[in-house]
Amino acid sequence: MNMRFFVPQDTTALALGSNSVASMLAGELKERGLNDEIIRNGSRGMFWLEPLLEVEYGDSRLAFGPVTPSDVSSILDCLSSLEKNTKSANHPLHLGEVDEIDYLARQQRLTFSRAGVGDPLCIKNYQNLAGFTGLARAVKLESQEVVDQLKDSGLRGRGGAAFPAGIKWQTVLDTPGEQKYIVCNADEGDSGTFADRLLMEADPYQLIEGMAIAGLAVGANQGYIYLRSEYPVAHKILNQAIERATEAGFLGENICNSSSDFFLEVRLGAGAYICGEETSLLESLEGKRGMVRAKPPLPAIEGLFGKPTVVNNVLTLGAAASILEQGSETYKDFGMGRSRGTLAVQLAGNVKRGGVIELAFGVTLREVVEGFGDGTYSGRPIRAIQMGGPLGAFLPESQWDTPLDYEAFAAIKAMIGHGGIVVFDDTVDMAAQARFAMEFCAVESCGKCTPCRIGATRGVEVIDRIVKNQDRDNNLILLTDLCDTMELGSLCAMGGMTPFPVRSALTYFAEDFGGESPREN
Amino acid sequence: MRRYSKAPSNRSHSGVIRLDKSTNIDQLVEQFKDLPGGLMPLLHAVKHTVGFIPDESVSQIAKGFNLSRAEVHGVISFYHDFNTSPVGQHTVQICRAEACQSMGSRRIETHAKKSLGIEYGETTEDGRVTLQPVYCLGNCACSPSIRIDDDIHARVSAESFDQLMSELCAPATDNAGAKR
């Protein structure tokens, strides 16, 4: 019996050289006269182990990583003497059975249960792993029943704002209109986040299924995935997946014989961070400058081209597919308080073992960073953690025991956002980070409202003066005042939350700002 | 001397519709003008075909889409991706976002500018490389990251940056298929 080899092809694995591992493997197999199959799977999300080579032999699936091309030959040597169904191999890079790797075994994978298992573009593989059963179920239900499933699950938007997804769907369902749209926000611009990318690259049909379900639920026949242009690999995979799903009857006219149509298209962004904000995204999809719109009207009532529109994050739509497949009760059983289900935490930055970690809400930040991350990549002590992207607060050690729960984070003026965690070691200059937060806002502001457009530029200047100790006390007052103005006077989260990293840096890491400690203000 | 005439050869921003290099802008406008929200896909297509969005194309695009030239210019100038002047054969983007900063991207940034002798937005004298900043490539667990055309590279150091640049500049391997 032959072995089957799996070499990932997601962005991170490719960036770490998985293509050369795959071609070395193909060459070695040929040289040895073996005709074992090589499958280019998606990643499991254990990025510190990439390129992760997996070998299926009988019932076992052995993992080796991180593999370089020069390791391939010795791995094949080791495999040649292996008994079928064995759980272990004698090789320094051998990690045991892939499912039993601690990092993976300790997760509660719902959305990412299929990631890395097989060829992401193989529909048969997707169906073998319960794919498209959620859609099949949705086809048999009334629209209202589908929306009820989502409401009962307690799912909240995973893009960052955490708005109850079922209520959004209900609003679109209840708004009369011939034409409605489903828009997937795949403009994952926050630094430290890559879960959307992983889902699109490793399990694209789940997103497609979630969008088709949303279409059936609210009566929309057209969907758009607004994808950032920084994701060329995801772009290619999504386009191929849409083509195949259309051929197989899961997209297009009369999907799954439901007598409903659902057409889906990928649209590329063009490098503007602000287009991750939903109204700016809609403007961009319409072919305009990505300027933020005032709300109301809500996009659910007047969204894309003025029509009722569901705008959901990739992971929200992915979760919708699992909820329809497994039932709302199963999903709701995970989590704490009003944060139900699982959160795809993305551990990034200066960390030894970074990756996607899907866990029920409720674990603490420390458990994730220390338990999964195993310290910094540099080996130095952790000094600060930024959670929730560039608009999230910098957290000092005293706050690391906060449980991952939307309300618990809001209570400490921080946010979970899209679940990105960026770890900094003790060499970080927190004044430079605060300055960068303002600088980034200045570069990426859409320019619609003054506090954000001008405040960010003034913020950089004020921080520079504080660090240089110029008229320090007055400039500290000015910075606090500026932060108040931005928070209270901006239309969207860009200007409204840029003060979060700035204030937290100033409050908890005051020693980096030169002079004496800033006074409480 | 700068070689401005050569369009980048290995872009994949083609969207759903496959583009032929000889397609002229009028044909592209014709292709996209009736697509809902077609201006963004059109601009990507123009960039893919020409390598940048030529100023002369603005009036053609405006006419086709029934927009004012100011509106078209407004869209082009809003987005970082839509450069209005030619770029080098290869576009090298350095991630400036927080996760990469935590792994020393500021040093890579300084090194890149120094070793290539250019600032962000500029092209090397030989026309090979245009350097750009980027805010997150979604490879944050293995920072620092850079993107060279459509390939992303992880755990970049000053040494590996130099190595990657020398591969780009080696005359014999100008075949864009030279993947790692």
Side-chain angles (χ1 to χ4, degrees):
Chain A
M1 186 181 156
N2 284 349
M3 295 180 179
R4 290 208 298 170
F5 292 86
F6 296 84
V7 185
Q9 55 161 359
D10 86 299
T11 296
T12 296
L14 290 174
L16 289 161
S18 68
N19 269 351
S20 39
V21 171
S23 52
M24 178 64 86
L25 179 62
E28 279 280 338
L29 289 175
K30 200 175 165 199
E31 212 165 278
R32 294 170 189 229
L34 300 169
N35 57 354
D36 299 315
E37 191 184 359
I38 302 174
I39 293 166
R40 301 304 301 269
N41 59 334
S43 174
R44 303 271 182 174
M46 299 185 285
F47 290 132
W48 93 100
L49 292 175
E50 294 293 354
L52 179 75
L53 174 70
E54 294 177 39
V55 188
E56 189 183 84
Y57 190 34
D59 292 334
S60 64
R61 188 146 159 172
L62 307 175
F64 299 84
V67 175
T68 62
S70 58
D71 299 317
V72 169
S73 176
S74 65
I75 291 173
L76 288 180
D77 288 344
C78 145
L79 291 172
S80 65
S81 58
L82 220 58
E83 296 286 323
K84 205 165 102 184
N85 300 335
T86 186
K87 302 286 178 204
S88 66
N90 185 21
H91 192 278
L93 295 179
H94 181 50
L95 302 158
E97 273 279 302
V98 68
D99 287 335
E100 287 162 20
I101 296 174
D102 191 48
Y103 198 88
L104 202 54
R106 280 192 288 145
Q107 301 189 28
Q108 285 112 27
R109 287 205 163 187
L110 300 177
T111 303
F112 286 92
S113 61
R114 277 178 290 255
V117 174
D119 175 358
L121 287 169
C122 175
I123 290 193
K124 198 160 190 158
N125 177 60
Y126 182 65
Q127 288 180 297
N128 287 342
L129 298 166
F132 287 125
T133 52
L135 179 59
R137 189 163 160 239
V139 166
K140 295 198 192 97
L141 298 175
E142 294 295 321
S143 294
Q144 185 59 55
E145 291 173 316
V146 180
V147 173
D148 287 343
Q149 282 286 312
L150 210 67
K151 276 192 198 162
D152 293 345
S153 73
L155 176 67
R156 292 164 73 178
R158 293 287 183 259
F163 186 80
I167 293 178
K168 195 182 269 188
W169 287 24
Q170 184 72 60
T171 310
V172 178
L173 174 62
D174 291 345
T175 306
E178 281 289 299
Q179 179 69 62
K180 298 179 184 180
Y181 295 104
I182 309 298
V183 170
C184 169
N185 184 343
D187 193 23
E188 186 179 45
D190 289 354
S191 177
T193 64
F194 37 78
D196 293 350
R197 175 183 67 68
L198 183 64
L199 192 77
M200 293 185 285
E201 291 177 350
D203 197 13
Y205 294 122
Q206 190 177 344
L207 173 59
I208 290 171
E209 183 179 359
M211 291 186 76
I213 291 168
L216 289 174
V218 304
N221 68 354
Q222 176 69 49
Y224 292 101
I225 300 172
Y226 186 89
L227 178 72
R228 59 199 305 259
S229 62
E230 291 86 345
Y231 285 180
V233 179
H235 187 212
K236 208 170 98 190
I237 291 177
L238 282 175
N239 274 335
Q240 288 175 329
I242 288 172
E243 205 172 300
R244 293 191 190 188
T246 307
E247 275 168 25
F250 296 107
L251 288 176
E253 287 174 2
N254 187 23
I255 55 169
C256 304
N257 297 318
S258 62
S259 71
S260 297
D261 303 340
F262 191 70
F263 299 92
L264 185 55
E265 213 183 295
V266 181
R267 288 291 174 89
L268 271 190
Y273 174 77
I274 193 62
C275 290
E277 195 282 334
E278 62 175 0
T279 61
S280 159
L281 184 155
L282 293 174
E283 289 286 304
S284 184
L285 260 183
E286 291 182 9
K288 301 174 187 159
R289 292 163 69 85
M291 304 285 277
V292 172
R293 294 178 187 169
K295 289 191 274 193
L298 294 171
I301 293 166
E302 281 181 44
L304 186 64
F305 303 114
K307 308 294 182 199
T309 305
V310 170
V311 187
N312 277 154
N313 174 255
V314 174
L315 301 184
T316 314
L317 291 159
S322 349
I323 289 163
L324 264 292
E325 176 212 327
Q326 298 178 12
S328 52
E329 287 303 317
T330 310
Y331 195 80
K332 199 163 83 181
D333 282 347
F334 293 92
M336 73 176 272
R338 294 203 294 121
S339 305
R340 309 312 310 175
T342 54
L343 176 71
V345 174
Q346 297 127 84
L347 193 50
N350 197 332
V351 65
K352 207 180 282 172
R353 309 198 307 182
V356 171
I357 304 157
E358 187 175 354
L359 293 168
F361 284 95
V363 292
T364 67
L365 185 57
R366 191 189 296 276
E367 284 171 309
V368 174
V369 173
E370 291 177 358
F372 284 87
D374 195 29
T376 60
Y377 189 80
S378 61
R380 304 182 65 93
I382 300 174
R383 178 146 183 253
I385 296 174
Q386 187 176 29
M387 175 120 202
L391 309 176
F394 288 102
L395 309 171
E397 186 167 0
S398 59
Q399 295 182 329
W400 299 347
D401 294 307
T402 311
L404 295 180
D405 163 64
Y406 291 118
E407 278 66 40
F409 266 71
I412 59 165
K413 277 248 154 200
M415 69 159 170
I416 284 181
H418 185 46
I421 297 175
V422 177
V423 177
F424 292 83
D425 73 9
D426 63 350
T427 60
V428 65
D429 175 352
M430 293 305 294
Q433 294 308 132
R435 185 188 192 279
F436 178 79
M438 286 290 192
E439 189 191 344
F440 181 69
C441 182
V443 173
E444 296 296 337
S445 172
C446 81
K448 181 146 180 166
C449 41
T450 319
C452 175
R453 182 181 69 243
I454 305 211
T457 302
R458 295 289 95 86
V460 171
E461 296 162 1
V462 175
I463 293 172
D464 281 346
R465 288 201 291 271
I466 292 170
V467 172
K468 285 184 199 150
N469 244 340
Q470 292 172 2
D471 195 9
R472 184 179 178 80
D473 288 353
N474 281 327
N475 275 306
L476 283 168
I477 295 169
L478 196 58
L479 183 59
T480 309
D481 200 42
L482 179 64
C483 284
D484 287 341
T485 307
M486 288 177 73
E487 260 182 65
L488 301 171
S490 302
L491 207 51
C492 80
M494 177 97 227
M497 293 179 72
T498 291
F500 282 33
V502 176
R503 281 191 207 268
S504 58
L506 198 57
T507 308
Y508 301 113
F509 305 93
E511 61 276 20
D512 287 12
F513 287 78
E516 302 152 34
S517 298
R519 51 189 63 169
E520 284 295 314
N521 218 311
Chain B
M1 183 185 156
R2 289 179 190 227
R3 288 190 357 220
Y4 278 153
S5 55
K6 190 167 183 330
S9 56
N10 51 356
R11 300 298 171 82
S12 70
H13 286 316
S14 54
V16 181
I17 300 166
R18 289 270 154 241
L19 296 169
D20 179 41
K21 296 282 180 207
S22 63
T23 316
N24 71 33
I25 288 169
D26 277 331
Q27 284 173 316
L28 290 176
V29 169
E30 198 53 41
Q31 232 176 321
F32 287 98
K33 73 182 171 60
D34 296 323
L35 188 70
L39 187 54
M40 293 285 286
L42 170 85
L43 292 172
H44 276 299
V46 172
K47 180 174 163 159
H48 173 82
T49 312
V50 185
F52 65 106
I53 317 283
D55 288 337
E56 311 85 79
S57 69
V58 172
S59 54
Q60 281 167 278
I61 296 169
K63 200 172 160 211
F65 278 76
N66 197 21
L67 295 167
S68 70
R69 276 179 295 156
E71 283 170 309
V72 175
H73 173 77
V75 173
I76 294 169
S77 60
F78 186 85
Y79 297 96
H80 299 305
D81 283 4
F82 298 142
N83 49 303
T84 52
S85 55
V87 289
Q89 275 176 288
H90 301 284
T91 299
V92 175
Q93 294 183 321
I94 297 182
C95 180
R96 293 197 71 213
E98 288 86 348
C100 284
Q101 288 175 23
S102 78
M103 289 296 291
S105 64
R106 287 171 206 238
R107 284 194 300 276
I108 305 290
E109 187 174 37
T110 312
H111 174 79
K113 288 178 179 177
K114 202 175 155 204
S115 65
L116 294 171
I118 50 175
E119 290 294 313
Y120 282 136
E122 294 180 350
T123 303
T124 51
E125 280 295 308
D126 62 4
R128 290 254 179 203
V129 173
T130 298
L131 193 64
Q132 290 173 350
V134 68
Y135 294 92
C136 199
L137 295 165
N139 189 38
C140 323
C142 300
S143 296
S145 305
I146 67 166
R147 175 175 174 177
I148 303 174
D149 302 322
D150 272 351
D151 291 331
I152 290 158
H153 300 268
R155 299 254 186 250
V156 176
S157 62
E159 295 73 38
S160 66
F161 181 84
D162 290 344
Q163 175 63 32
L164 289 165
M165 289 305 109
S166 68
E167 285 166 20
L168 284 187
C169 295
T173 59
D174 193 15
N175 58 3
K179 303 221 163 151
R180 292 179 68 193

